[in-house]
Amino acid sequence: MKYFKRLVVLMSFLVLIGGLACFSVLVYFSFTLPKISSLADYNPPIKSKILSKDGVILYNIGKQNRELVEFDDIPPRVVDAFLSAEDSNFYEHEGVDYVGVLRAFVANIKAGRVVQGGSTITQQVAKSLLLTSERSITRKIKDFLLAQKIEKRFNKKEILYLYLNQVYLGGGYYGIKSAFEGYFNKELSEATVAESALIAGLLVAPGKYSPYRNPQHAKTRQAYVLGRMFANKKITKEEYQEALQEKIKYQLRKNSPFLAGYFTDWVRRQAIDIVGEENFLTNGFTVQTTLNYELQKTAEESILEGAKEIDKRQGYKGPVGHIDLEKLDEYIEKFRKDLYKDKSNYFTLTEDNEREYEIQMQEDELEVLKEFTQEQMSKLYSSRFYTGYNSEDQLLKYLEKDKLYKAVVLRLDSRMRNIIISVGGVTGVIPYHHYRWAHERAITDNVKYWGYVKNPNTILKKGDVIQVRITDFSTKLENTIYKTYRDDFRRMKDYKHLKDQNYLMCALEQEPEVQAALMSLNPFTGEVVSMVGGVDFDKSEFNRALQSKRQPGSAFKPLLFAAALENGYLPNTIILDTPEALGGANQELNWKPRNYDGKFKGPMTLREALEHSRNIPTIKLALDLGMDKIFNFLDRIDFHADMPNDLSISLGSFGVTLLEMIRAYSIFPNGGKKVLPKSIISITDRNGKEYFFQDDFATQSKLELEKLARESKDENRPENVREKNENGKEHNEFEKEAVNPYLLNLNEEQVYDPRLAYIMTNLLKGVVHYGTGRRALSTSQFIGGKTGTTSSYVDAWFLGFSQNIVTGVWTGMDDNRSMGWPETGTKASLPIWNEYMKRSIQIYGERDFQMPPGIVNVSIDKKTGELATGSGPKFLESFVEGTEPGSNSKNNYFKKEENSQESGAILEDDDFFNN
């Protein structure tokens, strides 16, 4: 008895010591716990989005794919699934479920491993939001204490709100709203019991129980959660059984590309520069941009089609593959399976856990196709023909018009001039007018004419795999036969059987090597309306509108002519287009420039020289102005380019970006105002705080232009680049020429006289109406523009404008190879520009350019530039008031001495070309 009392005392003492120790530990850790007040300001990382001006989401981007949802918007069945899976006593405990901890302890002992956790949802919130995920006794003590503090501070609904928006559920999805959208493409309100149980089951190990990676484990875990829901009386027995049998539709994960890829990527980089990368990826920013997405789609389509046409004119690259026709059935089967999978939006799981896609090949699909073909072919007398397709074939529903497909050549007929093909087992025909372009490919800048391909056997053979585009889903064979052979076809025995058969009408296609870029902006606000930096953003992210410096050729001439106007030249000033040797560094070196056509037209007006893009008058213009005046003008309009300090700039022999060219052209329709490109309207975070202010726009735009200038790529940077004077040269030049009446009222914003800007629009309208840009006349009467082509057809441009929008198009090869003859600005770039501008005019309307005060219109003889007299041809020309023919008020600043122009020796044509 005595020993028993001592034992009791000892045990009591030990319990007291243990209790004091536990109390001390708890007190110690309670002072080291993080503050739970931060939970009241729950701001988890959420995605940022970039929007077009018309509200289209161009891209969602962020570190965590999460969308917040209010607790009241979460269906009870979803909540019940998570509570049953993770914490069935959630509403009974106060942060720690002691019974649950004991139950988990026993279960783990029995299993010999961890099969059940004892943490409550509140403890998981503490761990997820306030602690780290380390496995240690210290962390367990902390979440034990924090859970109880959280329960005292927040109600159950608030705790569940935090939990269900914070949890990671695999696949990159954080929170239940993103998970249901990602796995099932459903809103929470549409969730079924089976889907809710599957998502709740993911929490414990998202990778292990992923239905994409481990479907069997996912099903097992889902069944466990459903069992817990049934045991907790959250669902009935019928609902439990139905949920077990439900075939869940899992959304197929496909890459979500940038819309307007080149533009959106540019905006993304700018936004990150403004707010910081980490901030942008976590703080749910909304970036409102200037892009018109409807026009952007037209721009992308026009660029792709234009590049294809250029590439086709240079010949056919040949088939992309070849198969043995005995293996055609295998090829067709693979084609169909791949297409059906690509067209499917979801898949289900079979009992064997194999994927079953939304669109399945029918069990007897290939057999039916084979039997149909054999039956129809057996009725034909001649092997030169091939039967049409089976109109009941389900593949027809999933083929798309104007999309590229790989097809197998079945027949080639030189007399009918058509090609019979199989597009996944659907018979199609390529008629003569859809393959005749496919001559031998030989890219050369020499003049070379290719005849149409008349015999398809010269370019293809049976079994070749080729790229085709479907132009019509139902055509008759007779319509695809060359016209001179149709009567013979009607007399053939097979005509009766074939005349009602249906075929796909197809065109022979190929992937283009040539690249193209388009950029369009509002000349008054600088807002970028459309931008395409290449043919395919997925294949090349290099932005040719911003980063590629290419030679503009004659597209630069309008800037030189604009400088000439403010230095006394008039639209009717006569310039000589004559053979002339221009002096070089010494008398033995002579530069003998030529016109594109190799001819000389003698005296012509300034207008005519620009309309017909004459090189010699342009060079003489530059020679007379002098480099200082030219660069003074270019610096004033803020033209960024690495330019040689010599006369070759007059023909555009330097690298410049498309962005800089359309900025420069914008001063014409906007009345002479400097344009700063603007791609972002606003940047706001999740709380509505603005990070991009209109007052900061000019500074930000200048910084972006400087950054682009540093990053842009110039393969042909000249050695004698003229360095822009940053120490006041522009100001000094301005002071020096203050007596020039066209410079008197200029400032940082108004960089060109508005009267001269109007005259330039008038001159560039002339290029469209009478000169090298005549093909643009089909777009509108009220547009101006200029072509540009460099030597050997390396670069081709068209830059032009309406009253509302300025657009530029460049085409060329990335490696500076020739695109081939005759890919001029008119041939290569203008058709792309036309397609885009027609759509822009539909959206923004059209009107003539507004005439500013101080302009007079005078009838002149367009050839001589003199006042029109008598019944001869008349042309209404615009002049700044006081400079028109017959006026005596011309400013003395512009009076020049006779023969003041420096020039080289004028040569006879033969002497010019023989020297």
Side-chain angles (χ1 to χ4, degrees):
M1 187 68 180
K2 183 178 178 180
Y3 290 107
F4 178 72
K5 287 181 179 180
R6 288 180 178 177
L7 182 61
V8 169
V9 171
L10 180 62
M11 291 296 292
S12 300
F13 179 74
L14 291 175
V15 169
L16 178 61
I17 294 298
L20 287 172
C22 289
F23 177 76
S24 299
V25 169
L26 293 176
V27 169
Y28 168 77
F29 280 110
S30 67
F31 284 108
T32 63
L33 294 176
K35 294 181 179 180
I36 65 170
S37 57
S38 61
L39 297 179
D41 299 318
Y42 177 61
N43 284 310
I46 57 175
K47 294 183 295 183
S48 294
K49 58 186 176 183
I50 300 173
L51 304 175
S52 69
K53 192 172 186 178
D54 41 350
V56 176
I57 297 177
L58 302 176
Y59 197 58
N60 283 312
I61 182 172
K63 280 192 171 182
Q64 296 182 3
N65 187 353
R66 174 188 283 108
E67 290 186 56
L68 297 179
V69 58
E70 294 297 328
F71 181 77
D72 290 339
D73 294 329
I74 304 173
R77 58 184 168 276
V78 176
V79 177
D80 291 340
F82 276 88
L83 293 181
S84 297
E86 296 296 319
D87 191 356
S88 58
N89 294 325
F90 176 72
Y91 285 104
E92 280 71 50
H93 64 68
E94 295 182 354
V96 178
D97 183 3
Y98 299 100
V99 175
V101 170
L102 182 60
R103 184 176 59 244
F105 178 75
V106 173
N108 293 337
I109 291 295
K110 286 181 178 180
R113 58 189 175 89
V114 177
V115 294
Q116 207 176 107
S119 295
T120 64
I121 281 178
T122 314
Q123 286 176 282
Q124 292 181 48
V125 168
K127 180 184 77 171
S128 177
L129 293 172
L130 300 173
L131 301 170
T132 65
S133 58
E134 64 171 323
R135 291 178 176 271
S136 68
I137 188 66
T138 299
R139 200 268 297 163
K140 291 298 291 182
I141 293 171
K142 286 183 177 181
D143 74 45
F144 177 87
L145 295 172
L146 279 171
Q148 296 177 77
K149 294 184 71 172
I150 290 171
E151 288 277 349
K152 291 177 181 178
R153 174 71 184 274
F154 300 96
N155 62 41
K156 294 291 187 180
K157 184 188 291 188
E158 291 169 335
I159 294 170
L160 281 174
Y161 166 78
L162 295 171
Y163 175 70
L164 294 174
N165 279 297
Q166 182 66 18
V167 290
Y168 177 64
L169 296 164
Y173 306 120
Y174 290 81
I176 56 173
K177 182 173 174 61
S178 291
F180 275 87
E181 288 180 353
Y183 284 103
F184 313 124
N185 192 27
K186 282 187 173 184
E187 295 294 329
L188 284 170
S189 59
E190 303 172 292
T192 67
V193 172
E195 292 165 344
S196 301
L198 186 131
I199 294 296
L202 291 169
L203 183 64
V204 66
K208 179 180 179 180
Y209 296 118
S210 168
Y212 295 90
R213 296 180 183 176
N214 301 302
Q216 182 57 56
H217 287 172
K219 280 187 175 182
T220 302
R221 180 65 181 170
Q222 178 203 34
Y224 165 77
V225 176
L226 288 171
R228 296 293 301 150
M229 292 178 76
F230 178 56
N232 293 329
K233 298 183 179 180
K234 299 300 182 182
I235 56 175
T236 65
K237 185 176 182 179
E238 290 75 16
E239 289 175 318
Y240 170 66
Q241 291 174 340
E242 285 177 7
L244 286 174
Q245 298 301 317
E246 181 179 324
K247 292 191 75 171
I248 294 177
K249 295 178 179 178
Y250 299 99
Q251 180 175 217
L252 280 166
R253 293 174 180 170
K254 299 179 180 180
N255 291 332
S256 54
F258 284 120
L259 294 182
Y262 293 100
F263 175 83
T264 304
D265 188 49
W266 181 41
V267 168
R268 178 187 62 83
R269 289 188 290 105
Q270 290 181 80
I272 287 173
D273 287 343
I274 293 169
V275 306
E277 184 171 15
E278 182 70 19
N279 196 15
F280 186 69
L281 295 177
T282 59
N283 208 12
F285 284 90
T286 298
V287 182
Q288 185 80 40
T289 71
T290 59
L291 188 85
N292 182 312
Y293 188 62
E294 280 301 310
L295 261 180
Q296 177 69 19
K297 289 190 292 184
T298 301
E300 292 175 1
E301 292 165 3
S302 300
I303 284 289
L304 178 58
E305 292 306 312
K308 284 181 180 179
E309 289 304 311
I310 295 169
D311 205 70
K312 283 182 182 179
R313 285 195 289 268
Q314 300 309 315
Y316 186 44
K317 292 188 284 188
V320 296
H322 185 85
I323 66 166
D324 186 338
L325 286 181
E326 291 183 0
K327 297 181 179 180
L328 180 61
D329 290 346
E330 296 176 21
Y331 186 88
I332 290 173
E333 181 177 7
K334 185 178 184 306
F335 179 97
R336 292 185 176 228
K337 285 182 176 179
D338 290 345
L339 182 66
Y340 291 158
K341 178 181 176 181
D342 183 64
K343 289 291 182 181
S344 294
N345 295 310
Y346 63 83
F347 69 90
T348 57
L349 293 172
T350 66
E351 292 183 359
D352 297 326
N353 292 316
E354 295 293 328
R355 288 191 181 188
E356 194 171 72
Y357 293 99
E358 174 190 6
I359 304 169
Q360 283 289 304
M361 186 179 293
Q362 297 169 359
E363 189 174 342
D364 59 349
E365 185 172 326
L366 294 177
E367 190 62 33
V368 169
L369 174 65
K370 191 172 183 178
E371 289 177 359
F372 174 84
T373 304
Q374 288 176 346
E375 180 185 353
Q376 296 298 317
M377 292 295 290
S378 67
K379 298 177 182 179
L380 297 177
Y381 292 93
S382 173
S383 61
R384 70 187 301 184
F385 297 114
Y386 204 90
T387 183
Y389 62 72
N390 182 356
S391 58
E392 301 297 319
D393 192 341
Q394 78 156 349
L395 181 63
L396 289 166
K397 294 187 294 184
Y398 303 109
L399 295 174
E400 295 179 47
K401 189 176 181 181
D402 292 327
K403 187 172 181 180
L404 290 185
Y405 294 100
K406 288 183 179 178
V408 179
V409 176
L410 302 176
R411 299 284 190 276
L412 301 125
D413 197 298
S414 59
R415 287 185 291 174
M416 293 193 295
R417 293 192 190 179
N418 63 12
I419 305 167
I420 309 293
I421 59 174
S422 170
V423 183
V426 177
T427 311
V429 187
I430 305 176
Y432 168 63
H433 64 277
H434 279 326
Y435 74 77
R436 64 186 183 183
W437 60 268
H439 59 74
E440 177 189 351
R441 191 170 181 86
I443 298 178
T444 174
D445 56 351
N446 296 321
V447 177
K448 187 172 182 64
Y449 294 95
W450 295 94
Y452 285 142
V453 174
K454 297 178 181 179
N455 183 358
N457 289 284
T458 61
I459 58 171
L460 295 170
K461 59 183 179 294
K462 291 181 181 180
D464 279 346
V465 180
I466 59 176
Q467 287 187 316
V468 301
R469 173 174 54 88
I470 299 173
T471 64
D472 194 340
F473 277 99
S474 180
T475 189
K476 305 303 179 186
L477 184 61
E478 183 177 352
N479 299 332
T480 71
I481 294 174
Y482 193 64
K483 57 187 177 182
T484 59
Y485 196 73
R486 286 178 188 169
D487 287 340
D488 292 340
F489 173 63
R490 295 187 190 105
R491 290 191 290 268
M492 291 182 174
K493 291 182 179 181
D494 288 323
Y495 174 72
K496 185 176 181 180
H497 177 65
L498 292 172
K499 66 183 181 70
D500 295 324
Q501 300 258 340
N502 291 317
Y503 297 80
L504 298 175
M505 175 84 80
C506 298
L508 183 63
E509 295 287 346
Q510 65 186 7
E511 295 283 350
E513 289 182 51
V514 71
Q515 281 293 342
L518 179 150
M519 194 165 186
S520 185
L521 57 74
N522 182 317
F524 298 95
T525 65
E527 292 187 355
V528 177
V529 177
S530 301
M531 176 197 284
V532 185
V535 172
D536 190 336
F537 181 75
D538 291 334
K539 294 179 179 177
S540 170
E541 296 182 11
F542 180 66
N543 193 331
R544 295 155 189 84
L546 302 178
Q547 298 173 290
S548 181
K549 289 185 176 181
R550 305 296 293 237
Q551 292 189 6
S554 294
F556 176 71
K557 288 177 181 175
L559 302 184
L560 191 60
F561 278 64
L565 287 181
E566 72 173 17
N567 283 283
Y569 279 82
L570 304 172
N572 65 334
T573 298
I574 296 296
I575 311 175
L576 295 178
D577 182 14
T578 54
E580 186 168 336
L582 302 175
N586 59 60
Q587 293 302 314
E588 295 180 359
L589 296 175
N590 287 318
W591 180 34
K592 296 187 287 187
R594 310 183 184 196
N595 291 308
Y596 176 75
D597 59 6
K599 299 177 182 178
F600 302 94
K601 295 187 175 182
M604 61 172 52
T605 62
L606 183 92
R607 167 180 285 279
E608 193 175 8
L610 182 60
E611 286 177 353
H612 298 287
S613 197
R614 307 300 291 176
N615 290 340
I616 305 303
T618 303
I619 295 167
K620 290 181 178 180
L621 205 63
L623 184 64
D624 181 47
L625 288 174
M627 303 310 295
D628 284 346
K629 288 182 179 179
I630 294 172
F631 284 127
N632 174 257
F633 168 75
L634 295 174
D635 289 346
R636 191 182 338 119
I637 68 172
D638 198 32
F639 186 70
H640 296 272
D642 295 331
M643 306 177 72
N645 193 13
D646 58 49
L647 288 177
S648 68
I649 69 165
S650 58
L651 301 184
S653 62
F654 55 88
V656 65
T657 64
L658 179 57
L659 169 61
E660 284 302 317
M661 289 302 293
I662 64 169
R663 282 186 64 230
Y665 270 59
S666 294
I667 69 171
F668 303 138
N670 77 8
K673 290 182 171 59
K674 183 191 295 184
V675 170
L676 294 173
K678 179 179 180 180
S679 57
I680 298 173
I681 296 174
S682 66
I683 301 178
T684 54
D685 66 15
R686 69 170 89 197
N687 299 314
K689 179 183 175 182
E690 288 195 36
Y691 284 70
F692 183 85
F693 300 98
Q694 296 305 312
D695 293 344
D696 299 331
F697 160 63
T699 301
Q700 185 63 36
S701 183
K702 289 175 182 176
L703 290 173
E704 179 64 17
L705 284 172
E706 291 172 3
K707 180 181 176 183
L708 290 172
R710 292 193 302 270
E711 294 178 350
S712 53
K713 181 180 178 183
D714 187 357
E715 299 286 356
N716 299 304
R717 191 176 191 271
E719 294 182 3
N720 59 330
V721 172
R722 170 257 181 188
E723 297 296 334
K724 183 176 177 180
N725 191 325
E726 300 295 346
N727 297 313
K729 176 180 177 180
E730 295 177 63
H731 176 73
N732 293 337
E733 286 289 340
F734 185 86
E735 292 297 322
K736 175 184 172 183
E737 301 200 79
V739 292
N740 185 330
Y742 296 131
L743 304 182
L744 285 175
N745 297 314
L746 303 186
N747 52 46
E748 182 68 20
E749 180 183 359
Q750 186 71 47
V751 294
Y752 192 56
D753 190 285
R755 296 166 297 176
L756 298 182
Y758 176 77
I759 291 176
M760 281 303 304
T761 64
N762 213 20
L763 292 174
L764 290 168
K765 275 177 66 178
V767 175
V768 171
H769 282 259
Y770 312 108
T772 57
R774 281 191 297 272
R775 291 186 182 181
L777 199 55
S778 62
T779 296
S780 171
Q781 298 284 319
F782 308 122
I783 54 175
K786 183 70 183 74
T787 55
T789 309
T790 62
S791 297
S792 302
Y793 309 99
V794 171
D795 300 283
W797 303 69
F798 189 82
L799 296 114
F801 48 83
S802 66
Q803 179 63 62
N804 302 312
I805 199 167
V806 180
T807 301
V809 173
W810 165 86
T811 54
M813 298 282 196
D814 279 342
D815 57 3
N816 281 319
R817 284 183 295 132
S818 171
M819 287 186 289
W821 180 84
E823 302 304 334
T824 61
T826 302
K827 187 82 170 178
S829 296
L830 182 50
I832 299 172
W833 188 92
N834 267 339
E835 287 304 309
Y836 174 82
M837 286 298 286
K838 285 174 182 176
R839 181 64 180 136
S840 80
I841 286 172
Q842 290 174 359
I843 294 174
Y844 295 114
E846 63 175 336
R847 58 188 173 92
D848 206 352
F849 301 99
Q850 292 183 325
M851 183 187 300
I855 293 292
V856 294
N857 292 317
V858 178
S859 292
I860 65 169
D861 184 314
K862 193 176 180 182
K863 289 293 183 184
T864 65
E866 298 177 355
L867 284 171
T869 57
S871 58
K874 299 178 181 179
F875 181 81
L876 195 64
E877 186 64 89
S878 296
F879 295 89
V880 174
E881 189 173 2
T883 66
E884 70 275 13
S887 172
N888 294 319
S889 59
K890 186 175 181 182
N891 192 291
N892 288 331
Y893 177 82
F894 298 122
K895 289 183 178 179
K896 303 179 184 293
E897 296 180 5
E898 289 186 13
N899 302 321
S900 63
Q901 295 186 23
E902 296 181 12
S903 63
I906 297 179
L907 308 174
E908 295 298 325
D909 283 14
D910 290 343
D911 292 333
F912 180 86
F913 287 114
N914 291 330
N915 277 295

